[in-house]
Each structure stands twice: as C-alpha cells, then as structure tokens.
Amino acid sequence: MRDNNPEVRQAAAYGLGVMAQFGGDDYRSLCSEAVPLLVKVIKCANSKTKKNIIATENCISAVGKILRFKPNCVNVDEVLPHWLSWLPLHEDKEEAIQTLSFLCDLIESNHPVVLGPNNSNLPKIISIIAEGKINETINCEDPCAKRLANVVRQVQTSEELWLECISQLDDEQQEALQELLNFA
C-alpha cells in the first residue's frame, strides 16, 4: 500500500478486498491493520489525479469489502460515514458496481449511519446513484440497477424528501435518475 507505483497500490488494495471477501478468520487481523493504510492512500493529496485514481478507487472498494465481509475487524459506525463520503467511484466500473451493491444492502437494511439522522444522507445517496448512471457504472440489465431504482422510488414516496434530494441535483443527474427509473 505504501509503494510509489499506483499499479502496485491498486493490486495491493484489490488483494485486500479479495481477502476480506473470501478469506476466512485468519485474515481478520490483516483486514484490521489494512484499514488505516487504505484510508491514508484515499486521503493523500494527489489521490484523485488521473495517475492515482484507479488505485484510490480500489482502496475505497477494499474498505467497503472489509466493512461488508469482515465488519468485526473495524468500528463500522465510525468508518461508514467516511466510506460514504468517498463515493461515487467513477473509473473502475467493476469495483463501482460492487460498491453500489453494498450501498444497496445498507440502505435496504435501513442502516442508521448510512441514512443519517432524519434521512439526512439521502440527498448524497441519490446523487451517488445519479452519478453511477451518468458514468455508465449502472447497467439497467444488472440486478443492482433494479435495487437502486427501488431506492429512488422509495425516496419518491416522501414528496418533501424527494424535493430536497432533487433540488441538489443538476439537470444531467435528474435525467440520469429518470432514465434509470424508466429502464430498471
């Protein structure tokens, strides 16, 4: 994770995500130790540059996989708000869709940290979904697209909340949401 080469960091982050997802309990302590390293890469001043973005997105995805598959390795309620703030992923489509799938799991389970007090995080979540459609991460034939569309439909049931969410979106984001709803 500390290598100067972003391709090495990307591979290391991907490997950490795989260990979290498929490794047994033997990987628990490694996952715990990895989170601070992953966060350091994500928060690095040049983490979003063209050269580094793929490695950074793999780090964000790895943190998500640790939260999802090894939640006893970290303080989930402490790390989750940071993870949410790093979304959406734009460049690595495969990692982005896995991240969106985990986000759906959290929303569908009404996770209080993800939803925020009085659903205060829903505008951010709706924005993440819109960006996923704009960036072509969300393929309307993918099962995750249907789940995301259902999240949007659920938010639409509260007119006040829906208006608050869409008031924070630009025209392109609003069109992307409509397209998602039309096809998923």
Side-chain angles (χ1 to χ4, degrees):
M1 292 308 312
R2 293 185 181 117
D3 199 281
N4 287 331
N5 184 332
E7 292 171 351
V8 172
R9 289 193 308 275
Q10 176 189 357
Y14 179 78
L16 288 167
V18 169
M19 283 189 291
Q21 186 171 358
F22 299 108
D25 285 340
D26 294 343
Y27 292 102
R28 222 159 84 237
S29 65
L30 181 59
C31 288
S32 295
E33 294 168 21
V35 172
L37 294 171
L38 293 163
V39 170
K40 187 173 183 180
V41 172
I42 294 164
K43 289 186 171 187
C44 182
N46 63 354
S47 67
K48 299 284 184 171
T49 63
K50 185 175 182 171
K51 176 181 166 186
N52 293 312
I53 190 67
I54 296 287
T56 301
E57 289 192 357
N58 270 261
C59 290
I60 295 165
S61 179
V63 170
K65 287 176 183 176
I66 291 169
L67 292 168
R68 185 178 196 177
F69 299 108
K70 296 280 187 276
N72 53 352
C73 294
V74 293
N75 181 337
V76 174
D77 290 348
E78 184 180 304
V79 178
L80 213 44
H82 298 286
W83 177 80
L84 187 63
S85 76
W86 301 326
L87 301 181
L89 304 185
H90 297 283
E91 301 299 322
D92 192 320
K93 305 298 185 205
E94 186 177 321
E95 296 303 317
I97 200 67
Q98 290 186 34
T99 298
L100 288 170
S101 177
F102 178 45
L103 181 61
C104 283
D105 292 347
L106 295 165
I107 295 165
E108 290 165 354
S109 69
N110 291 313
H111 197 288
V113 173
V114 171
L115 297 177
N118 298 316
N119 295 319
S120 61
N121 290 340
L122 282 175
K124 165 75 173 164
I125 290 168
I126 295 297
S127 171
I128 290 167
I129 295 169
E131 287 298 315
K133 184 64 182 139
I134 290 168
N135 295 320
E136 299 176 357
T137 299
I138 300 170
N139 173 345
C140 287
E141 295 165 11
D142 188 295
C144 187
K146 291 178 183 9
R147 293 174 73 198
L148 292 165
N150 286 337
V151 167
V152 173
R153 288 183 186 106
Q154 185 64 37
V155 174
Q156 286 179 320
T157 63
S158 168
E159 185 178 354
E160 184 180 333
L161 183 57
W162 178 244
L163 291 174
E164 181 183 342
C165 289
I166 63 169
S167 72
Q168 298 179 31
L169 302 177
D170 62 29
D171 290 343
E172 184 181 25
Q173 291 170 317
Q174 290 183 35
E175 288 172 24
L177 285 178
Q178 192 56 54
E179 185 178 327
L180 175 66
L181 293 171
N182 289 341
F183 295 103

